[in-house]
Amino acid sequence: MSAEVPPMKRAKRRRVIIPILAVFVLALVGAFAWGARGYLSSRHAADQVEARLSDIYGGRVRLEAVDIGTNHSELKGIRLYEKDGEEEDPWLVVDGARTDIGAWAIFGDNPAASDLELNGATITLRIDEAGHLVTRIPRPTERKRALPNVHLRDGTLIFRQAGRPAFTIQGIEASMELEDGRFVVQGRTADPVWGEWTATGTIDAKTGAGESRFQTRRVDLTIDKLRTVPFVATSVWDEVQSEGTTPVDFTLRFDPPAGSWKYRIVLHPENAWVHVRAIDLRADQVKGEAVIEDAVVTLKDLQGRTADGDIHTSADMDFRKRPKEMDFRVGVSGVDIRRLPKSWHLSILAVGRLKGDAVLKVLVGGEPHVLTTGGGDGFINRALPVKLVYEGNRPHFTFSSGLAPTQP
């Protein structure tokens, strides 16, 4: 018969055993946590997350590394590729992302983030010469799910349009949050080339169609810069060349399922120069308004200086047609006729200061390549009535004070 352990000794043993068990349990928990932590940041875990994201995205996704915590996850080196796109040419590259999905949810049946932070994201979109988006983003293979609110820091947007240099905007800070069935976008940029801009917009949560508006109070525009602006036909800048300082209001309307991208650019130039190639007319110190909308250019009450005099003009130029059609309404005051373009081949009898108005129609790209018609009336030195007549592509003056008409 075994001797009964006195109560005092049993209590003493418990005081020794319980701390040992506690230490042992903590060691097991620590070892498990260490192992789980190592697994959740391993290449194998990254491969699993990569495969899951590929299923959700509907296309190829690549990850460099993951770090999955209990209530959040961090992804590094994210690359999303186009449908059947090349391995070396992703349309979206993200240096780092942080989401509010933890370890238990990210490997669950239906993980869904409510917030997503993107750092150092670069979006590259390809456009054909006609201004149609050709980047092919896959459709998700899983059932539709709610997209998270997105916060972007240090983003870059690149448009690559065939036949022109890439258009790049850097330093983008933006947020996209869901409100009443649509995403509301707000942001700003601090680009070293294009300056500071604000951005607002909305995107339909179901269709992806929406509108974005980009505005700046001041930007220095050059011909080289203008030629990189996406969607705007390069023929616009071939016929209407300009440089100067202006605020810009750029609206982009898009409907990806329909393949529709429409734009409207409003400029209010300050101290700019403008050259209209079709009539070889240049004006300096120009101010007014210019609207470029879906390959239609409208000049509204532009005022400036030409040939040592004043000029004001309005115009409607349609670059969608073939031949291109341009209608000008031009008024001049105090213009030195001798300083008008030599290509006008003016008569040597036309000497003095001209004041007058003219209406011209120019067709470019037909037969002949440039056909100008129209004309106007005015006075030389405020006394001699004259009529300006455009025939073919050469203007000439007709004097109406008993003098013989000049030859074209």
Side-chain angles (χ1 to χ4, degrees), residues 50-98:
E50 189 177 273
R52 190 57 188 272
L53 289 177
S54 296
D55 289 338
I56 297 173
Y57 169 62
R60 190 164 62 252
V61 176
R62 294 290 180 264
L63 293 176
E64 290 182 3
V66 299
D67 188 358
I68 304 172
T70 56
N71 55 9
H72 74 274
S73 298
E74 295 185 3
L75 314 178
K76 297 180 181 180
I78 307 170
R79 287 170 171 77
L80 271 61
Y81 295 85
E82 295 184 44
K83 183 179 180 181
D84 302 325
E86 298 294 334
E87 181 73 23
E88 66 274 7
D89 193 23
W91 72 271
L92 174 62
V93 177
V94 182
D95 293 339
R98 181 184 176 94

Side-chain angles (χ1 to χ4, degrees), residues 256-279:
S260 174
W261 296 76
K262 297 183 178 295
Y263 64 88
R264 187 173 191 267
I265 303 173
V266 181
L267 310 174
H268 291 93
E270 304 165 1
N271 196 29
W273 63 260
V274 176
H275 178 241
V276 182
R277 191 177 70 167
I279 56 177

